[in-house]
Amino acid sequence: MNLDTKTNQNRSTLGIIIVCSIAIGLRFWGLERFNLLVFDEVYYAVFGNNYLTRTPFFNSHPPLSQYLIAIGIWIGDRLPFGQENLNAFTGSVHSTFSYRWMNAVFGSSVAPLVAALAYQLSQRKSYAFLAALFVSLDGLFLVESRYALNSIFLVCFGLLGQLLVLIAVRRDRHCRALLFGAGISLGAAIACKWNGLSFLVGIYIFIAIAKLLISRRSSTRAEDPHDSLLERLAKIHPFDIVFSLTIVPIITYSLLWIPHLIQNPDLNFIDVHQTMLNYHEKIGNGTGIHPYCASWYTWPLLMRPLAYYFTEYKPNYYYDVHAMGNPLLWWLSLAAIFGAIWSIGNQIGRNAQRSTIEKNVLAPIRDLNLNYLGVPLFIAINYAVNLLPWVGITRCLFIYHYLGGVLFAIVGLAWFVDNWLRSNSKFWQAAGLTTIFSVAATFVFWLPVYLGLSIEKTDLSYRLWNFWIFNWI
């Protein structure tokens, strides 16, 4: 199936626009429903209001996401719409729309950011379309975009930072202004939650491996427009790594604390970080701490999602909002991660067999096809750095901590499906199309518990499983 013709590229562009438009609609539809504070809105919406009222408080996370919620509240209160449902649960009277719409804006940006990232990785518009489609068909991203929570801000800034790095190196001459912007964005990701650092670490490792691979090659030719992404990354000047991707994120992170520290002068910059760390270290684990605690190894299989809101509003009819992914999408995406790792190992293994005569352990690395390797390597690295740091954490964790990891798993699945559709094999083309329509069907099936639609008890039981390794109730 030829996906590189101009007509198909235009169709992919149109598809991205349609997907992003639908994603926006789902994130803003009924945003004002549930006139109360849902789950951790009891913290983040309240904190956002505290910044507006200059009320001192302790925040267990860096402050940027709450600044943004505060900005959303300030603007939202002055809009001529979205004022139907008012409450004072934040400490002041606001509409539910006012403290949620900023999350919807950032959540709506995930699909175009993922599309742009996929395109920069591969220069394929079809891959960009599939990546945007799949991330728009995920329930956890949808739910996190509809309430005043902080993880969606982290993901957006992290994605933007990585995207700007890739755009910068794709240019004939690396654009330092873009790398500077990447540093600001990656610093902002950390200023939302500390685990935003994973996006920066992913870029570090990707660049380091690119430099290692290129150093094994004898060619010292000048930059060529047809260089692979890895070859371009390897040519990033050390100054840009130290300044734009290290010093700038640190400065950005530090500066973003200033408004919080001015409002809460009891703790200085160092003390507030020590207090935050002590707070997280003292949080226990297990159902006694919270009924929806879920260890890191349960996330990829979607064993324990999280109920954000549940109420029986009339006999046998419920409103239920579950922070859970699209089951089929998550399971296939996990398989894609193993596929990406296998692809990398398989290429190294084949090169090792061909190069045994040289008796050079670096020959398998030197002869790698860099055009083929870039995407699976990027996916595997970023999945690992977003998941593995949670392995040693003993405090209660929740499935939304997997948001960064599953993002790259979904991008990995899109890569394989795009390759299947490009195959000359009717079997693989059929597999790709079947995957797309099956993932869309499961998204529609679970949509009532993503949007909190009215649902009858029996229909709800079909969607909330409680058997074998699954406990979704």
Side-chain angles (χ1 to χ4, degrees), residues 39-40 43-44 61 140 144 151 193 195 283-287 289-296 298-299 304-308 323 330 387 390 393 395-403:
F39 193 60
D40 277 350
Y43 301 113
Y44 305 126
H61 292 292
L140 186 59
E144 291 291 317
S151 293
K193 293 179 77 172
N195 56 300
I283 296 176
N285 196 5
T287 56
I289 300 299
H290 196 285
Y292 288 97
C293 289
S295 299
W296 66 272
T298 68
W299 303 337
R304 187 61 170 153
L306 177 56
Y308 276 0
W330 278 36
L387 177 63
W390 298 106
I393 303 299
R395 58 151 286 178
C396 177
L397 300 173
F398 301 101
I399 198 167
Y400 58 72
H401 291 118
Y402 186 52
L403 205 64

mmCIF file of all heavy atoms in Angstrom, residues 39-40 43-44 61 140 144 151 193 195 283-287 289-296 298-299 304-308 323 330 387 390 393 395-403:
data_model
loop_
_atom_site.group_PDB
_atom_site.id
_atom_site.type_symbol
_atom_site.label_atom_id
_atom_site.label_comp_id
_atom_site.label_asym_id
_atom_site.label_seq_id
_atom_site.Cartn_x
_atom_site.Cartn_y
_atom_site.Cartn_z
ATOM 1 N N PHE A 39 -12.092 14.199 42.379
ATOM 2 C CA PHE A 39 -10.800 13.609 42.753
ATOM 3 C C PHE A 39 -9.827 14.687 43.222
ATOM 4 O O PHE A 39 -10.138 15.435 44.144
ATOM 5 C CB PHE A 39 -10.248 12.782 41.587
ATOM 6 C CG PHE A 39 -9.094 11.899 41.974
ATOM 7 C CD1 PHE A 39 -9.247 10.912 42.941
ATOM 8 C CD2 PHE A 39 -7.843 12.068 41.405
ATOM 9 C CE1 PHE A 39 -8.172 10.108 43.323
ATOM 10 C CE2 PHE A 39 -6.773 11.269 41.772
ATOM 11 C CZ PHE A 39 -6.935 10.287 42.732
ATOM 12 N N ASP A 40 -8.646 14.812 42.597
ATOM 13 C CA ASP A 40 -7.618 15.727 43.092
ATOM 14 C C ASP A 40 -7.873 17.186 42.743
ATOM 15 O O ASP A 40 -7.007 18.040 43.012
ATOM 16 C CB ASP A 40 -6.234 15.308 42.580
ATOM 17 C CG ASP A 40 -5.623 14.210 43.443
ATOM 18 O OD1 ASP A 40 -6.186 13.926 44.517
ATOM 19 O OD2 ASP A 40 -4.581 13.645 43.046
ATOM 20 N N TYR A 43 -7.377 19.444 45.555
ATOM 21 C CA TYR A 43 -6.084 20.079 45.778
ATOM 22 C C TYR A 43 -5.809 21.146 44.715
ATOM 23 O O TYR A 43 -5.591 22.309 45.038
ATOM 24 C CB TYR A 43 -4.961 19.036 45.759
ATOM 25 C CG TYR A 43 -5.103 17.958 46.795
ATOM 26 C CD1 TYR A 43 -5.348 16.637 46.424
ATOM 27 C CD2 TYR A 43 -4.982 18.248 48.149
ATOM 28 C CE1 TYR A 43 -5.485 15.641 47.380
ATOM 29 C CE2 TYR A 43 -5.110 17.256 49.112
ATOM 30 C CZ TYR A 43 -5.364 15.949 48.713
ATOM 31 O OH TYR A 43 -5.500 14.978 49.669
ATOM 32 N N TYR A 44 -5.794 20.736 43.457
ATOM 33 C CA TYR A 44 -5.258 21.606 42.412
ATOM 34 C C TYR A 44 -6.167 22.778 42.071
ATOM 35 O O TYR A 44 -5.678 23.889 41.836
ATOM 36 C CB TYR A 44 -4.921 20.774 41.173
ATOM 37 C CG TYR A 44 -3.991 19.628 41.499
ATOM 38 C CD1 TYR A 44 -4.298 18.313 41.164
ATOM 39 C CD2 TYR A 44 -2.810 19.874 42.190
ATOM 40 C CE1 TYR A 44 -3.465 17.273 41.497
ATOM 41 C CE2 TYR A 44 -1.959 18.837 42.528
ATOM 42 C CZ TYR A 44 -2.283 17.534 42.177
ATOM 43 O OH TYR A 44 -1.451 16.508 42.527
ATOM 44 N N HIS A 61 3.704 19.444 45.129
ATOM 45 C CA HIS A 61 4.278 19.372 43.785
ATOM 46 C C HIS A 61 4.765 20.753 43.375
ATOM 47 O O HIS A 61 4.338 21.766 43.944
ATOM 48 C CB HIS A 61 3.241 18.875 42.770
ATOM 49 C CG HIS A 61 2.839 17.451 42.968
ATOM 50 N ND1 HIS A 61 3.696 16.395 42.748
ATOM 51 C CD2 HIS A 61 1.664 16.906 43.365
ATOM 52 C CE1 HIS A 61 3.063 15.257 42.993
ATOM 53 N NE2 HIS A 61 1.836 15.540 43.380
ATOM 54 N N LEU A 140 -7.537 7.489 29.251
ATOM 55 C CA LEU A 140 -6.853 8.185 30.334
ATOM 56 C C LEU A 140 -6.482 9.610 29.923
ATOM 57 O O LEU A 140 -6.639 10.553 30.704
ATOM 58 C CB LEU A 140 -5.605 7.417 30.767
ATOM 59 C CG LEU A 140 -4.875 7.970 31.992
ATOM 60 C CD1 LEU A 140 -5.788 8.014 33.210
ATOM 61 C CD2 LEU A 140 -3.621 7.158 32.301
ATOM 62 N N GLU A 144 -7.963 12.874 31.942
ATOM 63 C CA GLU A 144 -7.029 13.813 32.552
ATOM 64 C C GLU A 144 -7.145 15.215 31.960
ATOM 65 O O GLU A 144 -6.711 16.198 32.576
ATOM 66 C CB GLU A 144 -5.590 13.315 32.391
ATOM 67 C CG GLU A 144 -5.260 12.078 33.202
ATOM 68 C CD GLU A 144 -5.222 12.348 34.699
ATOM 69 O OE1 GLU A 144 -4.664 13.384 35.103
ATOM 70 O OE2 GLU A 144 -5.760 11.533 35.463
ATOM 71 N N SER A 151 -1.291 16.283 35.559
ATOM 72 C CA SER A 151 -0.436 15.436 34.723
ATOM 73 C C SER A 151 -0.452 15.835 33.258
ATOM 74 O O SER A 151 0.547 15.681 32.543
ATOM 75 C CB SER A 151 -0.855 13.973 34.865
ATOM 76 O OG SER A 151 -0.601 13.496 36.164
ATOM 77 N N LYS A 193 5.535 18.584 37.592
ATOM 78 C CA LYS A 193 5.776 17.466 38.518
ATOM 79 C C LYS A 193 7.211 17.017 38.295
ATOM 80 O O LYS A 193 7.727 17.086 37.180
ATOM 81 C CB LYS A 193 4.801 16.305 38.267
ATOM 82 C CG LYS A 193 3.357 16.621 38.602
ATOM 83 C CD LYS A 193 2.431 15.439 38.302
ATOM 84 C CE LYS A 193 2.528 14.366 39.344
ATOM 85 N NZ LYS A 193 1.488 13.312 39.151
ATOM 86 N N ASN A 195 8.485 14.181 37.925
ATOM 87 C CA ASN A 195 8.698 13.141 36.931
ATOM 88 C C ASN A 195 8.700 13.688 35.508
ATOM 89 O O ASN A 195 8.963 12.952 34.557
ATOM 90 C CB ASN A 195 7.671 12.011 37.067
ATOM 91 C CG ASN A 195 6.242 12.470 37.003
ATOM 92 O OD1 ASN A 195 5.802 13.272 37.822
ATOM 93 N ND2 ASN A 195 5.497 11.947 36.041
ATOM 94 N N ILE A 283 4.354 9.110 52.720
ATOM 95 C CA ILE A 283 3.102 8.516 52.245
ATOM 96 C C ILE A 283 3.280 6.996 52.169
ATOM 97 O O ILE A 283 4.227 6.507 51.550
ATOM 98 C CB ILE A 283 2.716 9.062 50.861
ATOM 99 C CG1 ILE A 283 2.443 10.566 50.950
ATOM 100 C CG2 ILE A 283 1.476 8.336 50.321
ATOM 101 C CD1 ILE A 283 2.138 11.212 49.616
ATOM 102 N N GLY A 284 2.410 6.268 52.794
ATOM 103 C CA GLY A 284 2.506 4.817 52.776
ATOM 104 C C GLY A 284 1.986 4.223 51.480
ATOM 105 O O GLY A 284 1.784 4.906 50.480
ATOM 106 N N ASN A 285 1.722 2.922 51.523
ATOM 107 C CA ASN A 285 1.236 2.212 50.340
ATOM 108 C C ASN A 285 0.181 1.213 50.781
ATOM 109 O O ASN A 285 0.060 0.877 51.955
ATOM 110 C CB ASN A 285 2.383 1.498 49.626
ATOM 111 C CG ASN A 285 2.014 1.090 48.217
ATOM 112 O OD1 ASN A 285 0.934 1.420 47.722
ATOM 113 N ND2 ASN A 285 2.899 0.360 47.559
ATOM 114 N N GLY A 286 -0.579 0.741 49.816
ATOM 115 C CA GLY A 286 -1.579 -0.271 50.104
ATOM 116 C C GLY A 286 -2.982 0.311 50.189
ATOM 117 O O GLY A 286 -3.185 1.523 50.245
ATOM 118 N N THR A 287 -3.961 -0.577 50.200
ATOM 119 C CA THR A 287 -5.363 -0.149 50.190
ATOM 120 C C THR A 287 -5.747 0.602 51.464
ATOM 121 O O THR A 287 -6.725 1.329 51.473
ATOM 122 C CB THR A 287 -6.282 -1.368 50.021
ATOM 123 O OG1 THR A 287 -5.999 -2.329 51.055
ATOM 124 C CG2 THR A 287 -6.062 -2.016 48.655
ATOM 125 N N ILE A 289 -4.040 2.989 52.660
ATOM 126 C CA ILE A 289 -3.729 4.382 52.359
ATOM 127 C C ILE A 289 -4.742 4.940 51.361
ATOM 128 O O ILE A 289 -5.270 6.033 51.531
ATOM 129 C CB ILE A 289 -2.297 4.506 51.799
ATOM 130 C CG1 ILE A 289 -1.282 4.001 52.824
ATOM 131 C CG2 ILE A 289 -1.999 5.940 51.391
ATOM 132 C CD1 ILE A 289 -1.282 4.773 54.126
ATOM 133 N N HIS A 290 -4.996 4.173 50.310
ATOM 134 C CA HIS A 290 -5.986 4.578 49.306
ATOM 135 C C HIS A 290 -6.447 3.312 48.593
ATOM 136 O O HIS A 290 -5.632 2.468 48.218
ATOM 137 C CB HIS A 290 -5.380 5.563 48.299
ATOM 138 C CG HIS A 290 -6.407 6.305 47.498
ATOM 139 N ND1 HIS A 290 -7.113 5.699 46.473
ATOM 140 C CD2 HIS A 290 -6.858 7.581 47.580
ATOM 141 C CE1 HIS A 290 -7.941 6.590 45.950
ATOM 142 N NE2 HIS A 290 -7.819 7.731 46.599
ATOM 143 N N PRO A 291 -7.744 3.144 48.369
ATOM 144 C CA PRO A 291 -8.239 1.900 47.763
ATOM 145 C C PRO A 291 -7.794 1.687 46.327
ATOM 146 O O PRO A 291 -7.894 0.568 45.806
ATOM 147 C CB PRO A 291 -9.761 2.059 47.829
ATOM 148 C CG PRO A 291 -10.002 3.524 47.966
ATOM 149 C CD PRO A 291 -8.847 4.046 48.747
ATOM 150 N N TYR A 292 -7.287 2.737 45.671
ATOM 151 C CA TYR A 292 -6.892 2.604 44.268
ATOM 152 C C TYR A 292 -5.381 2.672 44.069
ATOM 153 O O TYR A 292 -4.915 2.926 42.967
ATOM 154 C CB TYR A 292 -7.591 3.667 43.416
ATOM 155 C CG TYR A 292 -9.061 3.388 43.242
ATOM 156 C CD1 TYR A 292 -10.000 4.003 44.065
ATOM 157 C CD2 TYR A 292 -9.514 2.486 42.283
ATOM 158 C CE1 TYR A 292 -11.358 3.746 43.928
ATOM 159 C CE2 TYR A 292 -10.866 2.220 42.127
ATOM 160 C CZ TYR A 292 -11.782 2.850 42.949
ATOM 161 O OH TYR A 292 -13.123 2.573 42.808
ATOM 162 N N CYS A 293 -4.604 2.449 45.134
ATOM 163 C CA CYS A 293 -3.162 2.337 44.969
ATOM 164 C C CYS A 293 -2.854 1.231 43.961
ATOM 165 O O CYS A 293 -3.434 0.145 44.021
ATOM 166 C CB CYS A 293 -2.481 2.017 46.300
ATOM 167 S SG CYS A 293 -2.454 3.370 47.492
ATOM 168 N N ALA A 294 -1.930 1.515 43.060
ATOM 169 C CA ALA A 294 -1.594 0.531 42.019
ATOM 170 C C ALA A 294 -0.096 0.558 41.771
ATOM 171 O O ALA A 294 0.456 1.594 41.392
ATOM 172 C CB ALA A 294 -2.352 0.842 40.726
ATOM 173 N N SER A 295 0.578 -0.556 41.982
ATOM 174 C CA SER A 295 2.022 -0.642 41.757
ATOM 175 C C SER A 295 2.337 -0.481 40.271
ATOM 176 O O SER A 295 1.511 -0.768 39.404
ATOM 177 C CB SER A 295 2.558 -1.982 42.256
ATOM 178 O OG SER A 295 2.336 -2.117 43.652
ATOM 179 N N TRP A 296 3.562 -0.067 39.986
ATOM 180 C CA TRP A 296 3.972 0.274 38.620
ATOM 181 C C TRP A 296 3.763 -0.875 37.639
ATOM 182 O O TRP A 296 3.412 -0.653 36.479
ATOM 183 C CB TRP A 296 5.442 0.704 38.614
ATOM 184 C CG TRP A 296 6.386 -0.419 38.969
ATOM 185 C CD1 TRP A 296 6.795 -0.785 40.203
ATOM 186 C CD2 TRP A 296 7.004 -1.331 38.054
ATOM 187 N NE1 TRP A 296 7.638 -1.867 40.144
ATOM 188 C CE2 TRP A 296 7.787 -2.216 38.828
ATOM 189 C CE3 TRP A 296 6.996 -1.483 36.674
ATOM 190 C CZ2 TRP A 296 8.531 -3.240 38.256
ATOM 191 C CZ3 TRP A 296 7.738 -2.505 36.094
ATOM 192 C CH2 TRP A 296 8.500 -3.366 36.881
ATOM 193 N N THR A 298 1.482 -2.988 37.486
ATOM 194 C CA THR A 298 0.079 -3.222 37.125
ATOM 195 C C THR A 298 -0.408 -2.263 36.047
ATOM 196 O O THR A 298 -1.431 -2.518 35.412
ATOM 197 C CB THR A 298 -0.831 -3.058 38.357
ATOM 198 O OG1 THR A 298 -0.845 -1.683 38.769
ATOM 199 C CG2 THR A 298 -0.351 -3.917 39.515
ATOM 200 N N TRP A 299 0.316 -1.161 35.836
ATOM 201 C CA TRP A 299 -0.170 -0.135 34.910
ATOM 202 C C TRP A 299 -0.252 -0.612 33.461
ATOM 203 O O TRP A 299 -1.296 -0.438 32.828
ATOM 204 C CB TRP A 299 0.714 1.115 34.979
ATOM 205 C CG TRP A 299 0.838 1.729 36.332
ATOM 206 C CD1 TRP A 299 -0.028 1.604 37.388
ATOM 207 C CD2 TRP A 299 1.893 2.576 36.790
ATOM 208 N NE1 TRP A 299 0.418 2.310 38.474
ATOM 209 C CE2 TRP A 299 1.599 2.927 38.139
ATOM 210 C CE3 TRP A 299 3.049 3.082 36.201
ATOM 211 C CZ2 TRP A 299 2.432 3.751 38.881
ATOM 212 C CZ3 TRP A 299 3.874 3.907 36.938
ATOM 213 C CH2 TRP A 299 3.575 4.236 38.261
ATOM 214 N N ARG A 304 -5.471 -2.020 37.506
ATOM 215 C CA ARG A 304 -6.152 -1.278 38.558
ATOM 216 C C ARG A 304 -6.324 0.192 38.170
ATOM 217 O O ARG A 304 -5.542 1.051 38.581
ATOM 218 C CB ARG A 304 -5.368 -1.387 39.867
ATOM 219 C CG ARG A 304 -6.077 -0.774 41.093
ATOM 220 C CD ARG A 304 -7.382 -1.439 41.368
ATOM 221 N NE ARG A 304 -7.959 -1.023 42.653
ATOM 222 C CZ ARG A 304 -9.254 -1.029 42.921
ATOM 223 N NH1 ARG A 304 -10.113 -1.407 41.965
ATOM 224 N NH2 ARG A 304 -9.701 -0.673 44.102
ATOM 225 N N PRO A 305 -7.340 0.499 37.366
ATOM 226 C CA PRO A 305 -7.615 1.906 37.059
ATOM 227 C C PRO A 305 -8.194 2.621 38.272
ATOM 228 O O PRO A 305 -8.345 2.017 39.342
ATOM 229 C CB PRO A 305 -8.614 1.830 35.906
ATOM 230 C CG PRO A 305 -9.285 0.522 36.084
ATOM 231 C CD PRO A 305 -8.260 -0.395 36.678
ATOM 232 N N LEU A 306 -8.560 3.880 38.098
ATOM 233 C CA LEU A 306 -8.885 4.730 39.239
ATOM 234 C C LEU A 306 -10.238 5.399 39.024
ATOM 235 O O LEU A 306 -10.460 6.048 38.003
ATOM 236 C CB LEU A 306 -7.784 5.785 39.380
ATOM 237 C CG LEU A 306 -7.879 6.854 40.453
ATOM 238 C CD1 LEU A 306 -8.022 6.231 41.826
ATOM 239 C CD2 LEU A 306 -6.638 7.731 40.391
ATOM 240 N N ALA A 307 -11.150 5.233 39.973
ATOM 241 C CA ALA A 307 -12.457 5.881 39.896
ATOM 242 C C ALA A 307 -12.347 7.316 40.390
ATOM 243 O O ALA A 307 -11.998 7.552 41.549
ATOM 244 C CB ALA A 307 -13.482 5.120 40.725
ATOM 245 N N TYR A 308 -12.614 8.269 39.502
ATOM 246 C CA TYR A 308 -12.575 9.679 39.875
ATOM 247 C C TYR A 308 -13.913 10.158 40.445
ATOM 248 O O TYR A 308 -13.949 11.021 41.312
ATOM 249 C CB TYR A 308 -12.222 10.534 38.650
ATOM 250 C CG TYR A 308 -10.747 10.640 38.377
ATOM 251 C CD1 TYR A 308 -9.795 10.017 39.183
ATOM 252 C CD2 TYR A 308 -10.284 11.370 37.285
ATOM 253 C CE1 TYR A 308 -8.442 10.115 38.917
ATOM 254 C CE2 TYR A 308 -8.926 11.490 37.010
ATOM 255 C CZ TYR A 308 -8.017 10.858 37.820
ATOM 256 O OH TYR A 308 -6.671 10.971 37.554
ATOM 257 N N ALA A 323 -10.634 6.859 35.508
ATOM 258 C CA ALA A 323 -9.352 7.193 34.890
ATOM 259 C C ALA A 323 -8.706 5.891 34.446
ATOM 260 O O ALA A 323 -7.946 5.264 35.183
ATOM 261 C CB ALA A 323 -8.457 7.938 35.871
ATOM 262 N N TRP A 330 -4.036 -0.132 25.075
ATOM 263 C CA TRP A 330 -2.922 -0.281 26.015
ATOM 264 C C TRP A 330 -2.226 -1.631 25.853
ATOM 265 O O TRP A 330 -0.998 -1.697 25.889
ATOM 266 C CB TRP A 330 -3.433 -0.120 27.451
ATOM 267 C CG TRP A 330 -3.558 1.307 27.862
ATOM 268 C CD1 TRP A 330 -3.950 2.362 27.079
ATOM 269 C CD2 TRP A 330 -3.296 1.857 29.154
ATOM 270 N NE1 TRP A 330 -3.953 3.514 27.811
ATOM 271 C CE2 TRP A 330 -3.560 3.245 29.086
ATOM 272 C CE3 TRP A 330 -2.886 1.315 30.358
ATOM 273 C CZ2 TRP A 330 -3.411 4.088 30.195
ATOM 274 C CZ3 TRP A 330 -2.749 2.152 31.473
ATOM 275 C CH2 TRP A 330 -3.002 3.520 31.378
ATOM 276 N N LEU A 387 8.867 4.879 32.770
ATOM 277 C CA LEU A 387 8.315 3.811 33.597
ATOM 278 C C LEU A 387 9.272 3.351 34.691
ATOM 279 O O LEU A 387 8.886 3.233 35.860
ATOM 280 C CB LEU A 387 7.925 2.615 32.722
ATOM 281 C CG LEU A 387 7.385 1.387 33.481
ATOM 282 C CD1 LEU A 387 6.078 1.735 34.204
ATOM 283 C CD2 LEU A 387 7.184 0.205 32.547
ATOM 284 N N TRP A 390 9.812 4.534 38.471
ATOM 285 C CA TRP A 390 8.780 4.228 39.464
ATOM 286 C C TRP A 390 9.006 2.884 40.161
ATOM 287 O O TRP A 390 8.359 2.601 41.176
ATOM 288 C CB TRP A 390 7.402 4.216 38.806
ATOM 289 C CG TRP A 390 7.015 5.539 38.221
ATOM 290 C CD1 TRP A 390 6.987 5.873 36.893
ATOM 291 C CD2 TRP A 390 6.598 6.705 38.926
ATOM 292 N NE1 TRP A 390 6.587 7.171 36.736
ATOM 293 C CE2 TRP A 390 6.339 7.709 37.963
ATOM 294 C CE3 TRP A 390 6.424 7.000 40.285
ATOM 295 C CZ2 TRP A 390 5.915 8.990 38.318
ATOM 296 C CZ3 TRP A 390 6.005 8.274 40.638
ATOM 297 C CH2 TRP A 390 5.743 9.247 39.666
ATOM 298 N N ILE A 393 9.926 3.152 43.858
ATOM 299 C CA ILE A 393 9.107 4.036 44.690
ATOM 300 C C ILE A 393 8.200 3.188 45.580
ATOM 301 O O ILE A 393 7.483 2.304 45.110
ATOM 302 C CB ILE A 393 8.255 4.982 43.820
ATOM 303 C CG1 ILE A 393 9.158 5.802 42.890
ATOM 304 C CG2 ILE A 393 7.406 5.883 44.688
ATOM 305 C CD1 ILE A 393 10.142 6.682 43.603
ATOM 306 N N ARG A 395 5.919 4.606 47.912
ATOM 307 C CA ARG A 395 4.675 5.281 48.295
ATOM 308 C C ARG A 395 3.526 4.799 47.404
ATOM 309 O O ARG A 395 3.736 4.165 46.367
ATOM 310 C CB ARG A 395 4.809 6.796 48.173
ATOM 311 C CG ARG A 395 5.176 7.311 46.794
ATOM 312 C CD ARG A 395 4.623 8.709 46.549
ATOM 313 N NE ARG A 395 3.199 8.683 46.325
ATOM 314 C CZ ARG A 395 2.444 9.766 46.128
ATOM 315 N NH1 ARG A 395 3.007 10.953 46.136
ATOM 316 N NH2 ARG A 395 1.150 9.657 45.919
ATOM 317 N N CYS A 396 2.302 5.116 47.796
ATOM 318 C CA CYS A 396 1.124 4.771 47.004
ATOM 319 C C CYS A 396 1.197 5.460 45.645
ATOM 320 O O CYS A 396 1.394 6.683 45.558
ATOM 321 C CB CYS A 396 -0.138 5.199 47.752
ATOM 322 S SG CYS A 396 -1.677 4.900 46.856
ATOM 323 N N LEU A 397 1.055 4.677 44.598
ATOM 324 C CA LEU A 397 1.068 5.196 43.236
ATOM 325 C C LEU A 397 -0.274 4.941 42.572
ATOM 326 O O LEU A 397 -1.037 4.073 42.999
ATOM 327 C CB LEU A 397 2.184 4.534 42.421
ATOM 328 C CG LEU A 397 3.612 4.727 42.938
ATOM 329 C CD1 LEU A 397 4.582 3.872 42.134
ATOM 330 C CD2 LEU A 397 4.021 6.196 42.880
ATOM 331 N N PHE A 398 -0.533 5.693 41.506
ATOM 332 C CA PHE A 398 -1.791 5.551 40.783
ATOM 333 C C PHE A 398 -1.522 5.392 39.295
ATOM 334 O O PHE A 398 -0.443 5.730 38.800
ATOM 335 C CB PHE A 398 -2.686 6.774 41.022
ATOM 336 C CG PHE A 398 -3.011 7.010 42.462
ATOM 337 C CD1 PHE A 398 -2.333 7.977 43.199
ATOM 338 C CD2 PHE A 398 -3.989 6.258 43.099
ATOM 339 C CE1 PHE A 398 -2.630 8.200 44.537
ATOM 340 C CE2 PHE A 398 -4.290 6.466 44.445
ATOM 341 C CZ PHE A 398 -3.606 7.431 45.161
ATOM 342 N N ILE A 399 -2.512 4.929 38.590
ATOM 343 C CA ILE A 399 -2.324 4.610 37.181
ATOM 344 C C ILE A 399 -1.999 5.840 36.349
ATOM 345 O O ILE A 399 -1.365 5.729 35.300
ATOM 346 C CB ILE A 399 -3.559 3.877 36.622
ATOM 347 C CG1 ILE A 399 -3.199 3.170 35.315
ATOM 348 C CG2 ILE A 399 -4.745 4.815 36.482
ATOM 349 C CD1 ILE A 399 -4.241 2.180 34.844
ATOM 350 N N TYR A 400 -2.390 7.035 36.783
ATOM 351 C CA TYR A 400 -2.082 8.218 35.984
ATOM 352 C C TYR A 400 -0.584 8.526 35.959
ATOM 353 O O TYR A 400 -0.116 9.308 35.135
ATOM 354 C CB TYR A 400 -2.876 9.439 36.455
ATOM 355 C CG TYR A 400 -2.694 9.850 37.885
ATOM 356 C CD1 TYR A 400 -1.518 10.441 38.337
ATOM 357 C CD2 TYR A 400 -3.720 9.667 38.811
ATOM 358 C CE1 TYR A 400 -1.351 10.824 39.653
ATOM 359 C CE2 TYR A 400 -3.572 10.055 40.141
ATOM 360 C CZ TYR A 400 -2.396 10.633 40.550
ATOM 361 O OH TYR A 400 -2.232 11.013 41.860
ATOM 362 N N HIS A 401 0.189 7.913 36.864
ATOM 363 C CA HIS A 401 1.639 8.075 36.803
ATOM 364 C C HIS A 401 2.231 7.404 35.561
ATOM 365 O O HIS A 401 3.392 7.648 35.225
ATOM 366 C CB HIS A 401 2.301 7.488 38.059
ATOM 367 C CG HIS A 401 2.018 8.264 39.301
ATOM 368 N ND1 HIS A 401 1.351 7.733 40.384
ATOM 369 C CD2 HIS A 401 2.304 9.548 39.646
ATOM 370 C CE1 HIS A 401 1.245 8.646 41.336
ATOM 371 N NE2 HIS A 401 1.808 9.758 40.911
ATOM 372 N N TYR A 402 1.448 6.589 34.897
ATOM 373 C CA TYR A 402 1.889 5.887 33.682
ATOM 374 C C TYR A 402 1.623 6.723 32.433
ATOM 375 O O TYR A 402 1.917 6.281 31.325
ATOM 376 C CB TYR A 402 1.151 4.549 33.592
ATOM 377 C CG TYR A 402 1.564 3.616 32.487
ATOM 378 C CD1 TYR A 402 2.898 3.264 32.285
ATOM 379 C CD2 TYR A 402 0.608 3.054 31.649
ATOM 380 C CE1 TYR A 402 3.258 2.389 31.281
ATOM 381 C CE2 TYR A 402 0.954 2.163 30.642
ATOM 382 C CZ TYR A 402 2.277 1.829 30.458
ATOM 383 O OH TYR A 402 2.632 0.958 29.459
ATOM 384 N N LEU A 403 1.094 7.927 32.568
ATOM 385 C CA LEU A 403 0.669 8.710 31.419
ATOM 386 C C LEU A 403 1.824 8.944 30.440
ATOM 387 O O LEU A 403 1.651 8.809 29.225
ATOM 388 C CB LEU A 403 0.094 10.045 31.895
ATOM 389 C CG LEU A 403 -0.911 10.726 30.970
ATOM 390 C CD1 LEU A 403 -2.163 9.900 30.808
ATOM 391 C CD2 LEU A 403 -1.269 12.111 31.503
#
